[in-house]
């Protein structure tokens, strides 16, 4: 395990924004879900939520580029369940729905430094009435051409990067928000994938890591793992 990788992974996890999320309301194309996961990872989201047909619940590695290993995607049976989970996960969250309505506001006029979840709709029909009923505000991306909307993954990217811009300016990426146990699990699996798999097979808890990402464990652990350290 390279020390540089450990510090890179730790730096990323230290900046995770657990109070910023996106919810996909029946988005059904694999490449769109995967692209949104990739963008969510890039801006520091740790959780996204999706209401999808069960038979289509799969992420494609070629689009998400491994981001699905770092972003927790929660699948839900319906939008009510998804919103309930978001509100439980993010107390005081403002729910924003992308929707061209009479009272919709420019997406750049929103304060994204507040706990926020953005709901985006499916490719053909757009956002559902059930999802709109949960929204605190409707937001739009201004269009100056003939088209009235962008691809859902492009729209999500624009909104999430506006959220990132505002949060960077407010210093919110300096917060350490991720649960320590979750962070340790991701660090261990990201830096010691082979040993992590062996631990799973043996039913062992992941041992501690030192400041450089090296494993701290006694002889009993190594004996149980049947792993011989180089001396």
């Amino acid at each position: 395990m390279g020390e540089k990788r450990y510090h890179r992974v730790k730096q990323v996890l230290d900046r995770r924004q657990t109070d910023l999320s996106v919810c996909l309301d029946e988005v059904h194309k694999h490449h769109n879900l995967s692209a949104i996961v990739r963008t969510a990872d890039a801006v520091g989201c740790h959780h996204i939520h999706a209401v999808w047909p069960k038979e289509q619940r799969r992420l494609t590695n070629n689009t998400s580029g491994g981001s699905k290993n770092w972003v927790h995607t929660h699948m839900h049976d319906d939008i009510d369940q998804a919103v309930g989970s978001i509100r439980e996960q993010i107390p005081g969250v403002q729910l924003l729905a992308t929707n061209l309505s009479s009272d919709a506001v420019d997406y750049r006029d929103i304060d994204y430094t507040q706990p926020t979840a953005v709901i985006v709709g499916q490719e053909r029909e757009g956002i559902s009435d059930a999802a709109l009923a949960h929204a605190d505000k409707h937001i739009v991306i201004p269009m100056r051409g003939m088209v009235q909307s962008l691809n859902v993954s492009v729209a999500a990217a624009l909104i999430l990067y506006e959220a990132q811009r505002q949060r960077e300016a407010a210093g919110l990426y300096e917060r350490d928000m991720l649960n320590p146990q979750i962070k340790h699990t991701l660090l261990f699996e990201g830096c010691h994938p082979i040993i992590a798999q062996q631990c799973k097979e043996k039913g062992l808890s992941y041992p501690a890591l030192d400041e450089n990402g090296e494993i701290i464990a006694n002889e009993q652990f190594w004996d149980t793992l049947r792993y011989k350290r180089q001396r």
Side-chain angles (χ1 to χ4, degrees):
M1 191 279 301
E3 181 180 334
K4 288 184 178 180
R5 176 167 175 79
Y6 169 78
H7 288 293
R8 165 63 177 159
V9 173
K10 186 176 184 302
Q11 183 182 55
V12 167
L13 296 179
D14 284 346
R15 295 178 178 177
R16 277 312 202 214
Q17 303 291 289
T18 59
D19 62 349
L20 176 64
S21 185
V22 60
C23 178
L24 287 74
D25 180 30
E26 297 188 13
V27 173
H28 61 272
K29 293 183 179 179
H30 295 293
H31 67 274
N32 283 331
L33 175 58
S34 297
I36 292 172
V37 172
R38 187 183 181 99
T39 300
D41 175 38
V43 303
C45 297
H46 190 69
H47 300 277
I48 72 168
H49 297 260
V51 180
W52 248 32
K54 292 181 180 180
E55 65 274 10
Q56 296 183 11
R57 293 183 179 182
R58 183 180 304 171
L59 294 180
T60 53
N61 289 326
N62 61 330
T63 305
S64 60
S67 296
K68 66 186 181 70
N69 297 323
W70 301 101
V71 178
H72 190 171
T73 302
H74 305 265
M75 295 296 184
H76 302 283
D77 294 330
D78 54 54
I79 191 64
D80 294 337
Q81 184 184 91
V83 169
S85 179
I86 291 170
R87 290 195 184 281
E88 181 179 353
Q89 194 177 81
I90 310 176
V93 65
Q94 61 174 344
L95 284 170
L96 310 174
T98 54
N99 183 52
L100 184 60
S101 63
S102 59
D103 58 350
V105 300
D106 189 310
Y107 78 104
R108 294 164 295 189
D109 292 336
I110 297 293
D111 179 6
Y112 294 99
T113 65
Q114 301 301 312
T116 302
V118 180
I119 308 175
V120 295
Q122 66 141 291
E123 292 84 352
R124 174 170 291 191
E125 302 296 331
I127 201 162
S128 67
D129 290 339
L132 291 175
H134 287 291
D136 299 309
K137 290 182 180 179
H138 296 179
I139 57 175
V140 294
I141 298 172
M143 299 286 114
R144 299 292 182 258
M146 293 298 292
V147 299
Q148 291 188 319
S149 65
L150 298 173
N151 169 275
V152 63
S153 65
V154 175
L158 283 175
I159 296 166
L160 288 175
Y161 267 95
E162 172 62 17
Q164 184 200 56
R165 183 190 70 80
Q166 292 186 21
R167 286 174 172 238
E168 286 277 14
L172 298 189
Y173 283 90
E174 302 306 313
R175 301 174 299 172
D176 188 352
M177 304 185 72
L178 201 59
N179 177 283
Q181 185 57 50
I182 293 175
K183 183 187 294 186
H184 177 66
T185 297
L186 291 172
L187 275 169
F188 199 96
E189 293 178 352
C191 297
H192 300 281
I194 295 176
I195 297 177
Q197 182 59 40
Q198 291 175 327
C199 285
K200 290 178 182 178
E201 293 171 357
K202 294 289 182 179
L204 297 173
S205 299
Y206 297 153
L209 301 174
D210 67 16
E211 67 276 7
N212 293 316
E214 298 298 335
I215 295 172
I216 303 172
N218 56 29
E219 292 294 338
Q220 182 180 1
F221 171 82
W222 297 114
D223 289 342
T224 304
L225 202 66
R226 293 182 181 176
Y227 178 86
K228 293 182 179 180
R229 291 174 293 175
Q230 293 183 346
R231 298 184 182 277

